[in-house]
Amino acid sequence: MKILVDTMGSDKGSHALVTGAMNAATKWEFEPILVGDEQEITNVISEGNWKIKPQIIGLNEVISNDESPTLAIRRKKDSSMVKALELLRDGHADGMVSAGSTGALLAGGMLILKRINGLKRAALTSIYPTTKGMSLLVDAGANVELTPETLTQFAIMASIYYSNTFNITNPRVALVNVGTEKGKGHSFAQETYGLLEKSPVNFIGNIEAREIPFGGSDIIVCDGFTGNIILKLTEGMALAMVYRVKKAVMSSFISKVGALLIKPALTKMKKDLDYREYGGVPLLGLTAPVFKAHGSSDDYAVENAIGRLIDFIKADVIKQLEVEIKGE
Amino acid sequence: MKILVDTMGSDKGSHALVTGAMNAATKWEFEPILVGDEQEITNVISEGNWKIKPQIIGLNEVISNDESPTLAIRRKKDSSMVKALELLRDGHADGMVSAGSTGALLAGGMLILKRINGLKRAALTSIYPTTKGMSLLVDAGANVELTPETLTQFAIMASIYYSNTFNITNPRVALVNVGTEKGKGHSFAQETYGLLEKSPVNFIGNIEAREIPFGGSDIIVCDGFTGNIILKLTEGMALAMVYRVKKAVMSSFISKVGALLIKPALTKMKKDLDYREYGGVPLLGLTAPVFKAHGSSDDYAVENAIGRLIDFIKADVIKQLEVEIKGE
């Protein structure tokens, strides 16, 4: 198996991408193709102690998060992201991981790799840690404006991916809405509800945002605008709650002692909320496997993202998606 | 001053409404008009020790949260909510508080009281506790579908109300969006951005959801669908974080001891997050003062809601809104 790793465009520089890729290649025995700044890649490799020799494709144009995704993909032909997507398209590898601009990766995926037949858009998913385990949110912010038909296709794809990843048959699919009853919400939500009812997924109805952190559904379905709000507010609330607890606890000597005693327990809790454990998510709807790792991924997160990608390739999830979308 | 209190339709029954109203009337010396189940009201009054004698208007039809708001208002002419709104319209009182169905109160407000000239809809606001203090979110879920023009009017009204309530000139107004840069988001967000720029409010641009819990803006502007998601997810995340911390802490003896030591500090923190301290919010855009208290308000929350209503009446906020909306 050959896996392309776009080593550029991450918040933490090439180091995490190269190290994560080399550790993963050692663990799962695939051939890594590292695409990015040749000097930087060579430096990291020479410092490490890996037996595997990676293929290196030197390119030093980088796409940043601030650029218009579509323009960047069209103009920056010498960027590591465009090059990796082209190599994937031309069959030089079985899959690819990038920690670069999400928008550019999605735009590039759609322009260079093409979409599965019958799909208008590709979906961005996000793993959402709940008190019960892991939910999968779709769309995670890439498609801020989309039709009920497209969102229903996203729900079908997310359902298949979730089944494969967590080994759960018929995961519970719910639509984010302002109330649980049918007929609630704006016309977009009402139409999507009707389509999800008729779709092959295990649709359990609407979910109110209050239930999302408690794992009220396995698949959380919403437009990308709402998805972005949910993900960022969840992050902000977690940080704000920790800030509030710290401030409250630091207000007296006795509670400071108490805080010391509960610290190990809280460290374990933080691990449950850590995106690094999961690593990365696929762009669903493309004709080849592309995984997005978090922009601030360290080497451990990159390694896990590659592990997920390998599972995705082995299960031939794309074939399953093609069958289901075609049959719809 | 005369204040109408709709004693029905709350989750906790008449007791909290009657007790809260009587305590408030004792504290601020107004004439309470209690509208609801006469027997229940009389029972609570006879058990209490108040010097003030309230006016009681006996009615026992109630509007529940499950009904279609507009239909309920049209059909249930003998409900306490419809009666109180009619009495307010006909000048028998200076303002009104209800803890009943939010949707019905808004529909009733628009049908019975009418809107300020130039407004298409009335806004529901919600107080949002942040690590810095209090923000005000508009629309809080009543208007899931609305135009950029209407949302801009809501932002103007919220800004005026915030200034009056927290004594802050030019509160910072931000639009909830998927990124901070102008041009981000769906067309609704882009159009609203353009209108807010030209409006008289102190518009500071987009706010990402991550910054909301940290008080990134004083006024949080979004459509009611997004507002509902933000409010309910905030509640769910606060509960889920407390659940996670408890679970983590209960896993060892030492951390259990630690938990006992930090308990008083956490109790104080919970008070900061308590909606009861604020009590209630106005429906903005109606021609008379109507306050909504939380459905699960206890007597303390009801008393605070009435306190806010009195401030609202004294400052003649509606006059200020009329001037600003007309001048626009």
Side-chain angles (χ1 to χ4, degrees), chain A residues 10-86:
Chain A
S10 103
D11 306 346
K12 294 200 175 165
S14 309
H15 194 279
L17 273 296
V18 176
T19 307
M22 294 307 290
N23 288 344
T26 307
K27 195 167 170 183
W28 291 296
E29 298 185 350
F30 61 84
E31 297 173 47
I33 310 174
L34 309 180
V35 189
D37 185 305
E38 191 163 0
Q39 192 58 55
E40 281 183 25
I41 296 173
T42 316
N43 286 349
V44 179
I45 300 286
S46 66
E47 285 163 17
N49 200 10
W50 299 287
K51 283 185 189 150
I52 286 172
K53 292 276 160 267
Q55 188 182 337
I56 300 171
I57 295 174
L59 279 166
N60 34 33
E61 205 170 20
V62 60
I63 294 175
S64 79
N65 279 311
D66 313 324
E67 297 176 76
S68 152
T70 311
L71 280 183
I73 291 294
R74 290 225 166 99
R75 288 181 188 165
K76 294 196 164 171
K77 294 291 175 201
D78 284 330
S79 63
S80 53
M81 188 186 279
V82 168
K83 189 67 187 174
L85 285 164
E86 287 174 352

Side-chain angles (χ1 to χ4, degrees), chain B residues 179-196:
Chain B
T180 50
E181 305 87 348
K182 186 175 178 174
K184 284 277 178 182
H186 43 35
S187 51
F188 174 82
Q190 291 173 13
E191 282 173 43
T192 308
Y193 190 105
L195 293 174
L196 283 169

Side-chain angles (χ1 to χ4, degrees), chain A residues 138-247:
Chain A
V138 68
D139 185 88
N143 298 280
V144 295
E145 229 151 357
L146 77 186
T147 63
E149 289 74 22
T150 298
L151 187 54
T152 304
Q153 290 179 323
F154 285 8
I156 295 169
M157 293 196 293
S159 192
I160 291 169
Y161 176 61
Y162 192 94
S163 296
N164 275 278
T165 308
F166 298 106
N167 213 4
I168 286 174
T169 337
N170 295 322
R172 298 163 303 145
V173 176
L175 177 68
V176 179
N177 208 336
V178 299
T180 51
E181 306 87 347
K182 187 176 175 172
K184 284 278 179 181
H186 43 35
S187 51
F188 174 82
Q190 291 173 14
E191 282 173 44
T192 308
Y193 190 106
L195 294 175
L196 284 169
E197 269 190 319
K198 283 182 270 172
S199 81
V201 303
N202 175 21
F203 181 53
I204 60 165
N206 292 326
I207 184 171
E208 291 191 81
R210 198 187 289 111
E211 303 306 322
I212 295 175
F214 291 99
S217 71
D218 299 316
I219 316 288
I220 307 157
V221 181
C222 56
D223 66 274
F225 189 90
T226 306
N228 178 287
I229 306 293
I230 291 173
L231 292 170
K232 287 184 182 159
L233 184 59
T234 298
E235 193 187 334
M237 273 301 291
L239 292 171
M241 289 295 286
V242 169
Y243 172 88
R244 280 179 190 276
V245 170
K246 271 190 188 161
K247 203 176 140 196

Side-chain angles (χ1 to χ4, degrees), chain B residues 170-227:
Chain B
N170 295 323
R172 297 162 303 144
V173 176
L175 177 68
V176 178
N177 208 336
V178 298
T180 50
E181 305 87 348
K182 186 175 178 174
K184 284 277 178 182
H186 43 35
S187 51
F188 174 82
Q190 291 173 13
E191 282 173 43
T192 308
Y193 190 105
L195 293 174
L196 283 169
E197 269 188 320
K198 284 180 268 171
S199 81
V201 304
N202 175 21
F203 181 52
I204 60 165
N206 291 326
I207 183 171
E208 291 192 82
R210 198 187 289 113
E211 303 306 322
I212 295 174
F214 291 99
S217 71
D218 299 317
I219 316 288
I220 306 157
V221 181
C222 56
D223 65 274
F225 189 90
T226 306

